[in-house]
Amino acid sequence: MHAKDILIEGYARIQEEVHAAVEGLDPDGLNARPADDANSVAWLLWHLTRVQDDHIADAFGLDQVWLADAWEKRFGLGLPRHDTGYGHSSARVAKVRVDSAGLLTGYYDAVHEQTLGALRSLTAGDLERIVDENWDPPVTLGARLVSVLSDDLQHAGQAAYVRGLVQSAAS
């Protein structure tokens, strides 16, 4: 198995977890926050998708799906155009509300397709390309792809946990 195949498999796992996290949740469940400063399922999935969209687009010289396909307008969050949720205050987290799971999975699936297209084009040498010189040592494409994969899976797991809390409270 080649490195790009492993990355494709890893990113497919994110998609599975995103869909599982929202299955059967109504808008109240998607937007519920287990505590005042906690994140909702909606925020966690929106954030992980925004990070993947932002970082993959930047690393491969692509347009962000969020902007290119008007997902920003569909969500209508009233946040800055390039906001990914990084460092959000509790008040900003509260602004990320959705009316349906389909909005979250639709955006994620569109980002996932762009990500897969980028990953399929990879060669082994591409993984060594520097994509961010703001760190010491500079970040390679390979390291960035693994970083996004790790971050997204952590947030997907958090969304699954919050889902369980929300469902327990409702029963």
Side-chain angles (χ1 to χ4, degrees), residues 111-152:
V111 169
H112 181 69
E113 285 305 311
Q114 178 161 288
T115 299
L116 289 183
L119 293 175
R120 287 183 187 117
S121 74
L122 282 176
T123 66
D126 291 337
L127 296 173
E128 297 301 321
R129 179 172 55 87
I130 302 298
V131 296
D132 190 345
E133 295 186 3
N134 294 316
W135 299 91
D136 186 20
V139 178
T140 64
L141 177 59
R144 176 60 45 87
L145 292 170
V146 170
S147 176
V148 171
L149 177 63
S150 171
D151 187 64
D152 280 4

Side-chain angles (χ1 to χ4, degrees), residues 68-138:
D69 293 348
W71 286 99
E72 172 203 13
K73 289 181 175 60
R74 292 183 221 182
F75 274 76
L77 302 177
L79 296 169
R81 290 175 46 101
H82 292 281
D83 196 336
T84 63
Y86 182 76
H88 266 191
S89 65
S90 182
R92 282 256 168 121
V93 169
K95 290 184 84 165
V96 178
R97 297 186 58 80
V98 300
D99 292 332
S100 75
L103 185 64
L104 290 164
T105 58
Y107 175 44
Y108 183 81
D109 290 346
V111 169
H112 181 69
E113 285 305 311
Q114 178 161 288
T115 299
L116 289 183
L119 293 175
R120 287 183 187 117
S121 74
L122 282 176
T123 66
D126 291 337
L127 296 173
E128 297 301 321
R129 179 172 55 87
I130 302 298
V131 296
D132 190 345
E133 295 186 3
N134 294 316
W135 299 91
D136 186 20

Side-chain angles (χ1 to χ4, degrees), residues 19-108:
H19 281 261
V22 300
E23 187 177 329
L25 288 181
D26 63 13
D28 289 338
L30 293 166
N31 297 304
R33 297 170 69 189
D36 291 342
D37 288 333
N39 298 321
S40 65
V41 170
W43 186 90
L44 287 160
L45 298 182
W46 169 83
H47 168 65
L48 76 81
T49 308
R50 286 294 299 124
V51 168
Q52 184 176 332
D53 191 7
D54 174 77
H55 287 32
I56 298 297
D58 182 61
F60 286 91
L62 303 168
D63 291 331
Q64 288 186 32
V65 173
W66 180 248
L67 301 172
D69 293 348
W71 286 99
E72 172 203 13
K73 289 181 175 60
R74 292 183 221 182
F75 274 76
L77 302 177
L79 296 169
R81 290 175 46 101
H82 292 281
D83 196 336
T84 63
Y86 182 76
H88 266 191
S89 65
S90 182
R92 282 256 168 121
V93 169
K95 290 184 84 165
V96 178
R97 297 186 58 80
V98 300
D99 292 332
S100 75
L103 185 64
L104 290 164
T105 58
Y107 175 44
Y108 183 81

Side-chain angles (χ1 to χ4, degrees), residues 6-36:
I6 293 168
L7 289 165
I8 289 168
E9 176 67 22
Y11 278 86
R13 303 285 175 99
I14 299 167
Q15 185 182 39
E16 292 169 10
E17 296 302 325
V18 165
H19 281 261
V22 300
E23 187 177 329
L25 288 181
D26 63 13
D28 289 338
L30 293 166
N31 297 304
R33 297 170 69 189
D36 291 342

